[in-house]
């Protein structure tokens, strides 16, 4: 098991809740939810029972349909799982709880009983059809689990120092030097290619073979496709998902639904987009019609961009038309010599980093009335009742027309301006030029 930051959140929940709430961990399949919860259970409790509802028998599921006798329920669980439960020192884990809605509904009574602690894990768990017939317990606290971030990836590869040093450099706002930046960018691109799914990371560490890593990622993508077909037999969600790289490569101001689904528009598939977002496999960035600190109130649900929750999976999806992503392609991506414009790859990475840091995703496009030129701010962050516009550059960085035009239009709303790119840290007048590996520190 790799060291994950979410472990600290689990410890905080256990100490603060003291059994008064259950914890629901949401995240995409294969992100490591079950692994981290079981490790937490082993370390922090005298005993635990993990019920995997994706494989649990009908008899186990039926236990949660009748809560009139909790003594009987707990006796059956101990007998079935051959584990003794200890009052206030045992954890019961409902793994893949979306497969047993009655167990999720039972959380209210179980928490009130207060004998044991409860953690639920789930994927595609917020989709209406999984919860439409049950009462969602108010005693449920939710947290999201994301793919391994760059620091966790470095930990997994045995590097416990780089991330901390980068944060210190960010605070000091000092350049690192071109030679060191090139080395850091190469290491960061390695993370972008492997991604943060624990299975892919493990395969890279064990084999150092990109082809094998790519196969692991393709297997995960296939798993997601299977999930999509279960919730949408028409195949529309699968098409929308598969088209994310091509949509971003078009450099359009929004996801153009009609080019993927004939006779459909964004406003006719709002429910599908909501289901994709709830699955945690994709990230959705909405256009804000009035960029200010309260962007949630001005977002346009019909104008959006979509990203994959894991950039490593995004890399494999980019080359889905081939049997496997050849090692040579990985090597060119790693050395930044692939001929294709990779701006959208960095854009996906930025979306992943910002989301994992707790930010909602928003962007903004606007027309300069004088020049009739369209500009786009890739991401907008709300900070201290002001906004911070971010413009991404994967290559040239001498010009930043969108930032300049946005500043001219909304100067009184701006706290800081950021150009996120692949070069060393620098400050150009009032623009902070930030290497992408420092983005987590914003």
């Amino acid at each position: 098991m790799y060291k994950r930051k979410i472990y600290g959140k689990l410890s905080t929940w256990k100490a603060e809740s003291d059994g008064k709430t259950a914890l629901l961990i949401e995240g995409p399949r294969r992100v490591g939810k079950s692994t981290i919860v079981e490790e937490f259970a082993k370390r922090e409790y005298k005993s635990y029972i993990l019920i995997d509802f994706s494989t649990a028998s009908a008899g186990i599921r039926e236990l949660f349909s009748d809560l009139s006798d909790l003594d009987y329920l707990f006796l059956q669980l101990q007998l079935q799982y051959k584990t003794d439960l200890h009052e206030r020192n045992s954890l019961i884990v409902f793994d893949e709880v979306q497969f047993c809605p009655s167990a999720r509904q039972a959380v209210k009574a179980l928490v009130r009983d207060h004998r044991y602690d409860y953690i639920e894990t789930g994927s595609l768990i917020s989709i209406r059809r999984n919860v439409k017939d049950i009462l969602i317990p108010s005693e449920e606290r939710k947290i999201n689990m994301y793919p391994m971030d760059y620091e966790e990836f470095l930990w997994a590869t045995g590097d416990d120092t780089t991330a901390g040093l980068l944060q210190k450099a960010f605070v000091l706002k000092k350049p690192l030097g071109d030679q060191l930046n090139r080395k850091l960018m190469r290491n960061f691109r390695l993370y972008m290619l492997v991604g943060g799914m624990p299975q892919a990371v493990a395969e890279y560490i064990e084999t150092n073979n990109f082809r094998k890593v790519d196969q692991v990622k393709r297997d995960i993508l296939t798993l997601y496709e299977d999930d999509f077909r279960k919730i949408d037999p028409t195949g529309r969600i699968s098409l929308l998902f598969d088209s994310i790289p091509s949509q971003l490569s078009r450099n359009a101001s929004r996801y153009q639904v009609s080019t993927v689904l004939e006779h459909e528009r964004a406003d006719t598939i709002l429910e599908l987009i909501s289901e994709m977002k709830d699955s945690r496999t994709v990230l959705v960035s909405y256009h804000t019609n009035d960029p200010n600190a309260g962007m949630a109130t001005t977002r346009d649900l019909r104008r959006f961009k979509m990203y994959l929750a894991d950039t490593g999976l995004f890399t494999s999806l980019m080359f889905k038309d081939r049997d496997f992503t050849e090692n040579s392609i990985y090597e060119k991506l790693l050395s930044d010599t692939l001929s294709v414009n990779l701006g959208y790859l960095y854009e996906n990475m930025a979306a992943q980093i910002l989301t994992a840091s707790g930010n909602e995703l928003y962007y903004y496009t606007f027309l300069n009335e004088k020049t009739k030129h369209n500009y786009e701010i890739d991401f907008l962050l709300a900070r201290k009742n002001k906004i911070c516009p971010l413009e991404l550059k994967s290559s040239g960085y001498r010009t930043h027309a969108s930032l300049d035009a946005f500043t001219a239009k909304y100067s009184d709303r701006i706290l800081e301006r950021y150009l996120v790119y692949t070069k060393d840290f620098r400050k150009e007048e009032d623009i902070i030029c930030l290497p992408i590996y420092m983005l987590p520190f914003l």
Side-chain angles (χ1 to χ4, degrees), residues 131-149:
V131 297
K132 64 180 181 178
D133 297 323
I134 70 169
L135 179 66
I136 302 299
S138 58
E139 294 78 6
E140 185 180 81
R141 183 182 300 176
K142 295 181 183 180
I143 60 173
N144 291 319
M145 187 170 184
Y146 301 101
M148 296 169 72
D149 66 17

Side-chain angles (χ1 to χ4, degrees), residues 163-261:
L165 294 174
L166 289 179
Q167 187 166 18
K168 288 180 181 178
F170 172 80
V171 172
L172 293 172
K173 293 182 167 45
K174 297 291 185 181
L176 300 168
D178 290 339
Q179 183 175 354
L180 180 55
N181 177 72
R182 282 193 292 270
K183 180 179 183 296
L184 290 168
M185 275 307 308
R186 182 178 173 87
N187 291 341
F188 188 78
R189 283 194 296 270
L190 173 63
Y191 165 63
M192 291 171 66
L193 296 173
V194 174
M197 304 304 282
Q199 283 180 291
V201 174
E203 191 67 34
Y204 166 72
I205 292 172
E206 292 170 9
T207 68
N208 198 34
N209 185 313
F210 282 136
R211 178 172 181 172
K212 292 184 177 180
V213 173
D214 187 68
Q215 188 56 59
V216 169
K217 292 188 293 177
R218 285 171 180 261
D219 289 344
I220 295 173
L221 289 171
T222 299
L223 186 67
Y224 290 173
E225 297 278 4
D226 290 343
D227 282 342
F228 292 148
R229 279 191 287 271
K230 291 174 185 175
I231 63 175
D232 174 41
T234 69
R236 290 180 299 169
I237 286 183
S238 295
L239 285 173
L240 291 167
F241 180 82
D242 287 348
S243 300
I244 290 176
S246 63
Q247 286 288 317
L248 290 175
S249 70
R250 295 160 68 102
N251 200 28
S253 62
R254 69 177 78 182
Y255 192 109
Q256 297 177 327
V257 173
S258 60
T259 64
V260 179
L261 302 177

Side-chain angles (χ1 to χ4, degrees), residues 96-122:
E96 302 292 357
V97 71
Q98 72 272 16
F99 291 109
C100 187
S102 60
R104 188 177 180 192
Q105 182 170 259
V107 162
K108 185 177 184 70
L110 296 174
V111 168
R112 189 191 307 120
D113 175 74
H114 202 248
R115 265 179 270 188
Y116 314 114
D117 286 354
Y118 301 90
I119 293 181
E120 308 160 79
T121 76

Side-chain angles (χ1 to χ4, degrees), residues 410-427:
Y410 298 109
S411 59
D412 60 328
R413 305 184 184 186
I414 296 174
L415 179 65
E416 297 279 8
R417 299 194 295 164
Y418 292 96
L419 180 71
V420 181
Y421 67 163
T422 61
K423 304 298 181 182
D424 195 8
F425 182 97
R426 65 196 292 257
K427 193 162 185 180

Side-chain angles (χ1 to χ4, degrees), residues 288-295 298 364 380-389 406-407 409-417:
T288 175
N289 294 328
D290 182 19
N292 57 51
M295 288 179 286
T298 63
Y364 182 63
L380 285 164
L381 304 181
R383 297 288 187 271
K384 299 179 180 178
N385 292 322
K386 296 244 180 202
I387 53 177
C388 297
F406 185 82
T407 302
K409 191 175 178 68
Y410 298 109
S411 59
D412 60 328
R413 305 184 184 186
I414 296 174
L415 179 65
E416 297 279 8
R417 299 194 295 164

